[in-house]
Amino acid sequence: GENVEQHPSTLSVQEGDSAVIKCTYSDSASNYFPWYKQELGKRPQLIIDIRSNVGEKKDQRIAVTLNKTAKHFSLHITETQPEDSAVYFCAASTWDDKIIFGKGTRLHILP
Amino acid sequence: NAGVTQTPKFRILKIGQSMTLQCTQDMNHNYMYWYRQDPGMGLKLIYYSVGAGITDKGEVPNGYNVSRSTTEDFPLRLELAAPSQTSVYFCASSYGRNTEAFFGQGTRLTVV
């Protein structure tokens, strides 16, 4: 079946440094790749998404890149701040309209 | 708009009992999803629906059933609760294919 792999499972960075989270997907028909942020005890919320017709998208300190040939996409957070501490999930659409999630990355921003 | 509303927020079930997790959305979204979230395991898709009258299995459908008789509602039924179904359940909805999914606040279910 379709699968989304996400790495690393835990990431610690110094405040002000950059964080990168990487995902790979298995369904060659995937064409929508959202990223969600989940704070402790809260619901997941979309922070950025990218569709297969573009290779990169930016929104202030957040960017996502997509390599369809390699079936690989990444989330980049620059100038990290304490409020960036959370669990981040990548996801991918499938040929039959599912949205499949990775296992998540717990991001710790160190003071 | 209330968005996606789930009830109840918390529930304790005994093994073998049944219950229905309710989910309703007021955004006129066509697509609705049920996920379960276990610690360190991300979000696993249980069932989803692309419109009223249409439901499909996700990654982990065993032990669950759904129905979609209206656009607004997408209840999830557990028939014979098992300890393995202890989890946090999230309902989500989106307008259409490849659009943002909005999540409910979750239901924390414990089966003892």
Side-chain angles (χ1 to χ4, degrees):
Chain A
E2 300 91 357
N3 191 40
V4 176
E5 297 283 345
Q6 182 171 349
H7 299 281
S9 57
T10 306
L11 179 61
S12 297
V13 300
Q14 291 292 139
E15 183 179 347
D17 287 350
S18 296
V20 180
I21 302 170
K22 299 182 178 182
C23 291
T24 58
Y25 60 97
S26 62
D27 186 352
S28 56
S30 295
N31 57 11
Y32 176 64
F33 307 91
W35 286 86
Y36 285 81
K37 177 182 181 182
Q38 186 179 31
E39 297 176 346
L40 189 62
K42 301 287 183 63
R43 72 192 78 186
Q45 290 190 297
L46 183 78
I47 54 171
I48 195 168
D49 57 13
I50 190 168
R51 290 173 177 80
S52 59
N53 56 344
V54 298
E56 184 175 1
K57 183 177 179 180
K58 288 184 179 180
D59 183 3
Q60 300 183 343
R61 297 185 297 108
I62 295 173
V64 58
T65 59
L66 172 64
N67 182 331
K68 283 222 76 179
T69 303
K71 295 183 185 173
H72 172 274
F73 58 114
S74 300
L75 177 71
H76 304 252
I77 306 174
T78 59
E79 301 173 10
T80 53
Q81 301 170 1
E83 54 265 35
D84 295 330
S85 291
V87 178
Y88 292 81
F89 293 99
C90 64
S93 65
T94 68
W95 66 272
D96 53 352
D97 290 325
K98 299 187 190 78
I99 300 290
I100 302 297
F101 283 76
K103 291 185 178 181
T105 296
R106 185 172 299 277
L107 177 62
H108 299 277
I109 306 301
L110 306 172
Chain B
N1 286 353
V4 180
T5 303
Q6 291 181 235
T7 56
K9 291 183 181 179
F10 304 93
R11 183 72 186 268
I12 298 175
L13 274 183
K14 293 185 178 179
I15 295 171
Q17 285 186 324
S18 301
M19 78 163 295
T20 299
L21 282 66
Q22 300 292 345
C23 176
T24 187
Q25 52 91 10
D26 62 358
M27 297 176 282
N28 200 31
H29 283 174
N30 294 306
Y31 286 40
M32 296 189 75
Y33 311 84
W34 274 106
Y35 291 91
R36 59 177 287 173
Q37 184 173 33
D38 301 321
M41 295 299 291
L43 294 151
K44 288 292 187 182
L45 183 64
I46 305 171
Y47 270 95
Y48 67 110
S49 168
V50 301
I54 304 169
T55 61
D56 284 291
K57 294 179 179 179
E59 301 169 273
V60 290
N62 291 346
Y64 306 94
N65 277 300
V66 293
S67 60
R68 185 92 183 273
S69 56
T70 67
T71 299
E72 295 78 18
D73 300 307
F74 191 40
L76 178 71
R77 179 81 177 162
L78 284 71
E79 288 295 346
L80 290 170
S84 60
Q85 293 178 306
T86 293
S87 190
V88 178
Y89 291 84
F90 284 101
C91 177
S93 72
S94 64
Y95 179 72
R97 200 160 198 259
N98 299 342
T99 59
E100 178 179 359
F102 294 84
F103 282 78
Q105 77 274 32
T107 295
R108 184 173 295 275
L109 175 67
T110 303
V111 181
V112 296

